[in-house]
């Protein structure tokens, strides 16, 4: 019975780890930019001037509208955008692909909306209309709610996406300030630095490996304490070498601006704590639009999976330690 429990716990840990890695990858696909949000819509002249200065900007907003196709109508959440559609939606298409940057006549719809308008998910190449404007469906993405992604340059945009660059991970706040100054956009009411939860989710996905490595290192350290020279020093050197090899991988995954240049720089700790507090407040208080709900749900799911992984790892550790008790001369009592 105990072996069955151990096998089931190990299987559950493997499944939770695989689910965590898949969820972290999906979250990373949704978090490739710094998102700026305004309470009041931007005027057309402001967005046009910003795009002249920085053509890679993506603007979007969310509204509710009635779409029509083949004598059918459906009320849907419409994401109007100008720029890169993948930065607005952040989802892979079940069929087809998202409209290109210069595709003014293409759109993408959710599977639920495709069923409502066309009676099937096979909607690529079909046409829907919004008022007097017709759009051709380029892609169908997953979703149980009626959602459409439509290009519209004169929409009342309330959000802008700044695609993340290599410099973004070094100083996201300073980088965003510089881009805002260059574009001439007004100060946003919220800034969502989505690359931070994406990086944290990736680290949480590898929690079992870190847990197992820590347990193994502790066991080897205890064993090394009972050895004589030179075996003891060789084992300690091996542990230190393994830690040194693992450190660059950890630092590569962790945002650079969260790594202090000097651990004794107390001003850095205070400034970083304030920035993290502001980011957390914006993440929690910004109105959920577009992909926001999916990002928050995936981030919460990553924490839940990490908690489950930690519990399973501890259960397996206790089971292995209890099983090793009799073999170690009764050092640990049997279960």
């Amino acid at each position: 019975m105990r072996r069955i429990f151990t096998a089931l716990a190990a299987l559950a840990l493997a499944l939770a780890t695989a689910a965590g890695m898949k969820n972290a990858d999906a979250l990373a696909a949704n978090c490739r930019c710094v998102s700026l949000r305004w309470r009041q819509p931007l005027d057309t002249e402001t967005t046009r001037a910003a795009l002249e200065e920085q053509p890679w900007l993506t603007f979007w907003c969310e509204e509710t509208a009635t779409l029509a196709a083949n004598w059918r109508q459906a009320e849907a959440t419409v994401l109007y955008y100008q720029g890169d559609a993948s930065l607005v939606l952040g989802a892979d298409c079940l069929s087809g692909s998202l409209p290109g940057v210069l595709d003014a006549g293409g759109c993408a719809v959710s599977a639920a909306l495709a069923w409502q308008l066309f009676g099937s998910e096979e909607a690529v190449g079909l046409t829907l209309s919004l008022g007097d404007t017709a759009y051709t469906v380029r892609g169908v993405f997953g979703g149980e709610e009626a959602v459409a992604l439509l290009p519209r340059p004169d929409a009342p945009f309330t959000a802008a996406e700044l695609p993340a660059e290599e410099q973004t991970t070094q100083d996201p706040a300073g980088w965003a300030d510089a881009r805002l100054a260059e574009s001439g956009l007004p100060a946003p009411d919220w800034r969502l630095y989505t690359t931070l939860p994406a990086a944290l989710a990736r680290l949480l996905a590898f929690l079992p490996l870190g847990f197992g490595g820590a347990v193994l290192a502790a066991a080897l350290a205890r064993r090394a304490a009972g050895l004589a020279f030179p075996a003891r020093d060789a084992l300690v050197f091996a542990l230190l070498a393994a830690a040194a090899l693992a450190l660059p991988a950890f630092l590569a995954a962790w945002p650079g601006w969260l790594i202090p240049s000097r651990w004794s720089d107390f001003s850095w700790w205070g400034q970083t704590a304030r920035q993290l507090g502001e980011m957390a407040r914006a993440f929690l208080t910004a109105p959920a639009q577009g992909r926001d709900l999916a990002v928050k749900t995936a981030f919460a799911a990553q924490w839940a999976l990490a908690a489950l992984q930690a519990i399973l790892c501890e259960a397996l550790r206790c089971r292995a330690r209890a099983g090793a008790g009799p073999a170690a001369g009764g050092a640990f009592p049997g279960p």
Side-chain angles (χ1 to χ4, degrees):
M1 189 65 184
R2 293 172 181 172
R3 292 181 179 178
I4 295 176
F5 170 78
T6 302
L8 291 176
L11 177 61
L13 178 59
L15 293 176
T17 302
M21 291 182 177
K22 182 178 180 180
N23 185 70
D25 290 340
L27 185 60
N30 273 331
C31 301
R32 297 181 290 112
C33 49
V34 175
S35 186
L36 310 177
R37 307 291 176 84
W38 292 268
R39 289 188 176 90
Q40 299 299 324
L42 300 173
D43 60 80
T44 305
E45 292 299 325
T46 299
T47 57
R48 182 180 295 113
L51 286 172
E52 290 178 356
E53 294 294 330
Q54 298 182 351
W56 42 265
L57 280 171
T58 295
F59 292 96
W60 62 279
C61 63
E62 178 181 310
E63 292 185 355
T64 300
T66 301
L67 304 176
N70 297 335
W71 300 284
R72 295 183 179 182
Q73 290 186 343
E75 187 171 309
T77 299
V78 179
L79 300 176
Y80 297 114
Y81 75 95
Q82 184 176 14
D84 187 351
S86 66
L87 296 181
V88 178
L89 187 63
D92 294 330
C93 289
L94 302 175
S95 59
S97 60
L98 295 177
V101 176
L102 301 179
D103 188 357
C107 70
V109 299
S110 65
L113 182 58
W115 274 104
Q116 294 180 26
L117 291 179
F118 307 107
S120 171
E121 291 185 10
E122 302 299 326
V124 176
L126 302 181
T127 302
L128 60 83
S129 60
L130 174 61
D132 297 331
T133 307
Y135 297 92
T136 301
V137 178
R138 309 294 189 201
V140 178
F141 52 89
E144 298 180 357
E145 297 182 0
V147 180
L149 193 64
L150 305 179
R152 181 181 166 187
D154 60 344
F157 297 120
T158 57
E161 303 297 329
L162 309 177
E165 303 173 355
E166 184 177 353
Q167 297 85 350
T168 311
T169 59
Q170 303 302 320
D171 183 12
W175 177 85
D177 288 338
R179 295 298 176 271
L180 273 172
E182 293 172 2
S183 64
L185 291 171
D189 297 297
W190 299 279
R191 299 187 188 189
L192 304 181
Y193 298 91
T194 58
T195 53
L196 179 58
L200 183 56
R202 286 194 179 278
L203 291 176
L204 289 174
F206 288 93
L207 178 64
L209 293 178
F211 190 98
V215 171
L216 179 60
L220 290 176
R222 287 195 300 269
R223 179 63 61 87
L227 297 177
F229 178 85
R232 180 186 64 244
D233 292 356
L235 186 54
V236 171
F237 177 79
L239 289 174
L240 294 176
L245 291 175
L247 185 60
F250 172 81
L251 295 179
W254 193 245
W257 65 280
L258 289 176
I259 302 174
S261 57
R262 291 187 321 223
W263 293 94
S264 59
D265 187 356
F266 294 102
S267 63
W268 180 92
W269 292 101
Q271 179 182 356
T272 303
R274 287 193 297 272
Q275 288 185 355
L276 289 174
E278 293 173 359
M279 292 178 183
R281 283 192 294 271
F283 186 75
L284 295 174
T285 61
Q289 296 180 347
R291 65 180 186 277
D292 291 350
L293 185 58
V295 169
K296 292 181 179 180
T297 302
F299 191 54
Q302 195 69 42
W303 278 102
L305 287 170
L308 177 60
Q309 289 173 315
I311 293 172
L312 292 172
C313 285
E314 179 61 16
L316 290 172
R317 186 192 71 82
C318 292
R319 181 71 189 94
R321 186 174 181 180
F332 303 104

